[in-house]
Amino acid sequence: MSGSIVGKYVPFYIRQLTYILTSDVLVMDEYQTEETAFVVEDVSKIIKESVEAAIGGHAYQHNRVNQWTTIVVEQCLSQLSKLGRPFKYIVTCIIMQKNGAGLQTASTCFWDNTSDGSCVVRWENKSMYCIVTVFGLAI
């Protein structure tokens, strides 16, 4: 009943079978349909488009980070809700300047692995990293 997200690859444990998220592709449970499943490909595309629209051509500017993170999470949430799928969404965004500093993140969830899901996208340009996480909880 719990899933864990560490780094880029996310293990999903469903009915004693293991599905691994690699290259933004998730194998769906045979009992889920496209309309009720958390489809990582769709979510990943929304995240990438939102990040590109908000910060794609910009260099890191400390005074704009709050604005950019707000735009990214609000755009993601808006586009996710337009999918019309039966989920509550949680969206997080981290923007970090590329300056040689390290960053370690981890999260864990107590959820239903057969219906809930998550997607993490790491985007970068010459001056910054942007890490966006979306959790989808079935309703």
Side-chain angles (χ1 to χ4, degrees), residues 22-58:
T22 57
S23 304
D24 298 326
V25 177
L26 173 67
V27 178
M28 290 190 303
D29 184 344
E30 61 189 273
Y31 299 107
Q32 291 180 327
T33 65
E34 182 97 6
E35 294 80 33
T36 62
F38 185 89
V39 181
V40 173
E41 290 174 326
D42 295 345
V43 176
S44 179
K45 181 180 177 196
I46 287 170
I47 293 170
K48 290 173 185 175
E49 290 172 353
S50 299
V51 172
E52 281 292 329
I55 61 177
H58 295 86

Short mmCIF file of all heavy atoms in Angstrom, two decimals, residues 22-58:
data_model
loop_
_atom_site.label_atom_id
_atom_site.label_comp_id
_atom_site.label_asym_id
_atom_site.label_seq_id
_atom_site.Cartn_x
_atom_site.Cartn_y
_atom_site.Cartn_z
N THR A 22 10.55 4.01 -16.77
CA THR A 22 11.81 4.32 -17.45
C THR A 22 11.47 5.06 -18.72
O THR A 22 10.50 4.73 -19.40
CB THR A 22 12.62 3.06 -17.80
OG1 THR A 22 11.83 2.22 -18.62
CG2 THR A 22 13.07 2.31 -16.57
N SER A 23 12.24 6.06 -19.03
CA SER A 23 12.03 6.84 -20.25
C SER A 23 10.60 7.37 -20.33
O SER A 23 10.00 7.41 -21.39
CB SER A 23 12.34 6.02 -21.49
OG SER A 23 13.63 5.51 -21.44
N ASP A 24 10.03 7.75 -19.19
CA ASP A 24 8.71 8.34 -19.12
C ASP A 24 7.60 7.43 -19.65
O ASP A 24 6.60 7.88 -20.18
CB ASP A 24 8.66 9.68 -19.85
CG ASP A 24 9.57 10.70 -19.23
OD1 ASP A 24 9.75 10.68 -18.01
OD2 ASP A 24 10.10 11.52 -19.99
N VAL A 25 7.75 6.10 -19.55
CA VAL A 25 6.73 5.17 -20.01
C VAL A 25 6.32 4.29 -18.83
O VAL A 25 7.16 3.72 -18.16
CB VAL A 25 7.24 4.28 -21.16
CG1 VAL A 25 6.20 3.26 -21.57
CG2 VAL A 25 7.64 5.13 -22.35
N LEU A 26 5.04 4.15 -18.59
CA LEU A 26 4.52 3.31 -17.53
C LEU A 26 3.62 2.25 -18.13
O LEU A 26 2.73 2.56 -18.92
CB LEU A 26 3.71 4.15 -16.53
CG LEU A 26 2.96 3.38 -15.46
CD1 LEU A 26 3.94 2.70 -14.51
CD2 LEU A 26 2.05 4.29 -14.68
N VAL A 27 3.84 1.00 -17.78
CA VAL A 27 2.96 -0.07 -18.21
C VAL A 27 1.76 -0.07 -17.27
O VAL A 27 1.92 -0.15 -16.06
CB VAL A 27 3.68 -1.43 -18.15
CG1 VAL A 27 2.75 -2.55 -18.55
CG2 VAL A 27 4.92 -1.40 -19.03
N MET A 28 0.56 0.03 -17.81
CA MET A 28 -0.63 0.14 -16.99
C MET A 28 -1.11 -1.22 -16.51
O MET A 28 -0.93 -2.22 -17.19
CB MET A 28 -1.76 0.81 -17.75
CG MET A 28 -1.54 2.27 -18.01
SD MET A 28 -3.01 3.08 -18.65
CE MET A 28 -3.37 2.15 -20.08
N ASP A 29 -1.76 -1.23 -15.37
CA ASP A 29 -2.41 -2.41 -14.84
C ASP A 29 -3.48 -2.85 -15.84
O ASP A 29 -4.18 -2.03 -16.42
CB ASP A 29 -3.04 -2.04 -13.50
CG ASP A 29 -3.66 -3.21 -12.78
OD1 ASP A 29 -3.90 -4.26 -13.41
OD2 ASP A 29 -3.93 -3.07 -11.58
N GLU A 30 -3.60 -4.15 -16.06
CA GLU A 30 -4.52 -4.66 -17.06
C GLU A 30 -5.98 -4.31 -16.79
O GLU A 30 -6.81 -4.36 -17.68
CB GLU A 30 -4.36 -6.17 -17.18
CG GLU A 30 -4.67 -6.90 -15.88
CD GLU A 30 -4.31 -8.37 -15.92
OE1 GLU A 30 -5.17 -9.15 -16.36
OE2 GLU A 30 -3.18 -8.69 -15.54
N TYR A 31 -6.32 -3.94 -15.56
CA TYR A 31 -7.71 -3.63 -15.22
C TYR A 31 -8.03 -2.15 -15.31
O TYR A 31 -9.16 -1.75 -15.14
CB TYR A 31 -8.04 -4.14 -13.81
CG TYR A 31 -7.88 -5.63 -13.71
CD1 TYR A 31 -6.81 -6.20 -13.03
CD2 TYR A 31 -8.78 -6.49 -14.33
CE1 TYR A 31 -6.65 -7.57 -12.95
CE2 TYR A 31 -8.63 -7.86 -14.26
CZ TYR A 31 -7.56 -8.39 -13.58
OH TYR A 31 -7.41 -9.75 -13.51
N GLN A 32 -7.04 -1.32 -15.58
CA GLN A 32 -7.28 0.10 -15.70
C GLN A 32 -7.51 0.47 -17.16
O GLN A 32 -6.95 -0.16 -18.06
CB GLN A 32 -6.09 0.90 -15.17
CG GLN A 32 -5.92 0.79 -13.68
CD GLN A 32 -4.72 1.60 -13.21
OE1 GLN A 32 -3.75 1.73 -13.92
NE2 GLN A 32 -4.83 2.13 -12.03
N THR A 33 -8.29 1.51 -17.37
CA THR A 33 -8.49 2.02 -18.72
C THR A 33 -7.78 3.37 -18.81
O THR A 33 -7.40 3.96 -17.80
CB THR A 33 -9.99 2.21 -19.03
OG1 THR A 33 -10.51 3.23 -18.17
CG2 THR A 33 -10.76 0.91 -18.85
N GLU A 34 -7.62 3.85 -20.02
CA GLU A 34 -6.97 5.13 -20.26
C GLU A 34 -7.70 6.27 -19.52
O GLU A 34 -7.08 7.20 -19.06
CB GLU A 34 -6.93 5.41 -21.76
CG GLU A 34 -6.24 6.68 -22.14
CD GLU A 34 -4.79 6.47 -22.56
OE1 GLU A 34 -4.35 5.33 -22.67
OE2 GLU A 34 -4.12 7.48 -22.77
N GLU A 35 -9.02 6.16 -19.40
CA GLU A 35 -9.80 7.22 -18.77
C GLU A 35 -9.66 7.25 -17.25
O GLU A 35 -9.90 8.27 -16.62
CB GLU A 35 -11.29 7.07 -19.12
CG GLU A 35 -11.61 7.29 -20.59
CD GLU A 35 -11.31 6.04 -21.44
OE1 GLU A 35 -11.45 4.92 -20.94
OE2 GLU A 35 -10.93 6.22 -22.60
N THR A 36 -9.30 6.13 -16.63
CA THR A 36 -9.20 6.07 -15.17
C THR A 36 -7.78 5.88 -14.67
O THR A 36 -7.55 5.90 -13.47
CB THR A 36 -10.08 4.94 -14.60
OG1 THR A 36 -9.60 3.69 -15.11
CG2 THR A 36 -11.54 5.14 -14.96
N ALA A 37 -6.83 5.70 -15.57
CA ALA A 37 -5.45 5.44 -15.17
C ALA A 37 -4.65 6.74 -15.08
O ALA A 37 -4.95 7.72 -15.76
CB ALA A 37 -4.77 4.51 -16.18
N PHE A 38 -3.64 6.71 -14.25
CA PHE A 38 -2.67 7.80 -14.19
C PHE A 38 -1.64 7.49 -15.28
O PHE A 38 -0.80 6.61 -15.13
CB PHE A 38 -2.01 7.84 -12.81
CG PHE A 38 -1.08 9.01 -12.62
CD1 PHE A 38 -1.56 10.22 -12.15
CD2 PHE A 38 0.27 8.90 -12.90
CE1 PHE A 38 -0.71 11.30 -11.98
CE2 PHE A 38 1.13 9.96 -12.74
CZ PHE A 38 0.64 11.17 -12.27
N VAL A 39 -1.73 8.20 -16.39
CA VAL A 39 -0.88 7.93 -17.55
C VAL A 39 0.34 8.85 -17.49
O VAL A 39 0.25 10.04 -17.74
CB VAL A 39 -1.65 8.10 -18.87
CG1 VAL A 39 -0.77 7.78 -20.06
CG2 VAL A 39 -2.90 7.23 -18.87
N VAL A 40 1.47 8.27 -17.17
CA VAL A 40 2.70 9.04 -16.96
C VAL A 40 3.11 9.81 -18.21
O VAL A 40 3.58 10.94 -18.12
CB VAL A 40 3.83 8.12 -16.46
CG1 VAL A 40 5.15 8.86 -16.39
CG2 VAL A 40 3.47 7.55 -15.10
N GLU A 41 2.91 9.23 -19.38
CA GLU A 41 3.28 9.92 -20.63
C GLU A 41 2.52 11.24 -20.76
O GLU A 41 3.10 12.25 -21.14
CB GLU A 41 3.01 9.03 -21.83
CG GLU A 41 3.95 7.86 -21.95
CD GLU A 41 3.55 6.92 -23.07
OE1 GLU A 41 2.34 6.76 -23.34
OE2 GLU A 41 4.47 6.34 -23.67
N ASP A 42 1.22 11.23 -20.47
CA ASP A 42 0.40 12.44 -20.57
C ASP A 42 0.86 13.48 -19.55
O ASP A 42 0.98 14.66 -19.85
CB ASP A 42 -1.07 12.13 -20.35
CG ASP A 42 -1.66 11.24 -21.43
OD1 ASP A 42 -1.03 11.09 -22.50
OD2 ASP A 42 -2.76 10.68 -21.21
N VAL A 43 1.10 13.04 -18.33
CA VAL A 43 1.50 13.94 -17.26
C VAL A 43 2.88 14.53 -17.55
O VAL A 43 3.11 15.73 -17.39
CB VAL A 43 1.47 13.22 -15.89
CG1 VAL A 43 1.98 14.14 -14.79
CG2 VAL A 43 0.06 12.73 -15.58
N SER A 44 3.80 13.70 -18.01
CA SER A 44 5.14 14.16 -18.33
C SER A 44 5.11 15.23 -19.43
O SER A 44 5.82 16.24 -19.36
CB SER A 44 6.00 12.98 -18.77
OG SER A 44 7.29 13.39 -19.12
N LYS A 45 4.30 15.02 -20.43
CA LYS A 45 4.16 15.99 -21.52
C LYS A 45 3.65 17.33 -20.99
O LYS A 45 4.16 18.40 -21.35
CB LYS A 45 3.23 15.45 -22.59
CG LYS A 45 3.04 16.38 -23.77
CD LYS A 45 2.11 15.79 -24.81
CE LYS A 45 1.91 16.80 -25.93
NZ LYS A 45 0.76 16.50 -26.75
N ILE A 46 2.65 17.28 -20.12
CA ILE A 46 2.10 18.51 -19.53
C ILE A 46 3.16 19.24 -18.72
O ILE A 46 3.31 20.46 -18.82
CB ILE A 46 0.86 18.18 -18.66
CG1 ILE A 46 -0.32 17.82 -19.57
CG2 ILE A 46 0.52 19.33 -17.72
CD1 ILE A 46 -1.52 17.25 -18.85
N ILE A 47 3.93 18.50 -17.93
CA ILE A 47 4.98 19.12 -17.11
C ILE A 47 6.00 19.79 -18.02
O ILE A 47 6.36 20.97 -17.82
CB ILE A 47 5.67 18.08 -16.21
CG1 ILE A 47 4.70 17.55 -15.15
CG2 ILE A 47 6.91 18.69 -15.56
CD1 ILE A 47 5.24 16.34 -14.38
N LYS A 48 6.50 19.09 -19.02
CA LYS A 48 7.53 19.64 -19.91
C LYS A 48 7.04 20.89 -20.63
O LYS A 48 7.77 21.88 -20.75
CB LYS A 48 7.98 18.57 -20.91
CG LYS A 48 8.77 17.46 -20.27
CD LYS A 48 9.06 16.33 -21.25
CE LYS A 48 9.75 15.17 -20.56
NZ LYS A 48 9.93 14.02 -21.45
N GLU A 49 5.81 20.85 -21.12
CA GLU A 49 5.25 22.02 -21.80
C GLU A 49 5.11 23.20 -20.84
O GLU A 49 5.38 24.35 -21.22
CB GLU A 49 3.90 21.68 -22.42
CG GLU A 49 4.01 20.75 -23.61
CD GLU A 49 2.67 20.25 -24.12
OE1 GLU A 49 1.62 20.52 -23.46
OE2 GLU A 49 2.65 19.57 -25.16
N SER A 50 4.70 22.95 -19.62
CA SER A 50 4.53 24.01 -18.63
C SER A 50 5.86 24.66 -18.26
O SER A 50 5.96 25.88 -18.16
CB SER A 50 3.85 23.47 -17.37
OG SER A 50 2.56 22.97 -17.67
N VAL A 51 6.88 23.84 -18.07
CA VAL A 51 8.20 24.37 -17.73
C VAL A 51 8.78 25.17 -18.89
O VAL A 51 9.29 26.27 -18.71
CB VAL A 51 9.16 23.23 -17.31
CG1 VAL A 51 10.58 23.75 -17.15
CG2 VAL A 51 8.67 22.58 -16.02
N GLU A 52 8.68 24.63 -20.09
CA GLU A 52 9.20 25.34 -21.26
C GLU A 52 8.51 26.70 -21.43
O GLU A 52 9.16 27.69 -21.74
CB GLU A 52 9.03 24.50 -22.53
CG GLU A 52 10.06 23.44 -22.71
CD GLU A 52 11.46 23.98 -22.99
OE1 GLU A 52 11.60 25.07 -23.59
OE2 GLU A 52 12.42 23.31 -22.59
N ALA A 53 7.19 26.72 -21.25
CA ALA A 53 6.45 27.97 -21.41
C ALA A 53 6.85 29.01 -20.36
O ALA A 53 6.93 30.20 -20.65
CB ALA A 53 4.95 27.70 -21.34
N ALA A 54 7.09 28.55 -19.15
CA ALA A 54 7.39 29.48 -18.06
C ALA A 54 8.83 29.96 -18.04
O ALA A 54 9.10 31.15 -17.86
CB ALA A 54 7.05 28.84 -16.71
N ILE A 55 9.79 29.04 -18.23
CA ILE A 55 11.19 29.41 -18.04
C ILE A 55 12.11 28.97 -19.17
O ILE A 55 13.33 29.15 -19.09
CB ILE A 55 11.75 28.87 -16.71
CG1 ILE A 55 11.70 27.34 -16.66
CG2 ILE A 55 11.03 29.48 -15.55
CD1 ILE A 55 12.31 26.75 -15.40
N GLY A 56 11.57 28.45 -20.25
CA GLY A 56 12.38 27.86 -21.31
C GLY A 56 13.54 28.69 -21.81
O GLY A 56 14.64 28.19 -21.94
N GLY A 57 13.35 29.94 -22.10
CA GLY A 57 14.41 30.75 -22.70
C GLY A 57 15.13 31.66 -21.74
O GLY A 57 15.91 32.51 -22.17
N HIS A 58 14.90 31.52 -20.45
CA HIS A 58 15.46 32.44 -19.46
C HIS A 58 16.71 31.89 -18.78
O HIS A 58 16.85 30.68 -18.63
CB HIS A 58 14.43 32.76 -18.38
CG HIS A 58 13.24 33.51 -18.89
ND1 HIS A 58 12.15 32.87 -19.44
CD2 HIS A 58 12.98 34.83 -18.96
CE1 HIS A 58 11.26 33.78 -19.81
NE2 HIS A 58 11.74 34.98 -19.53
#
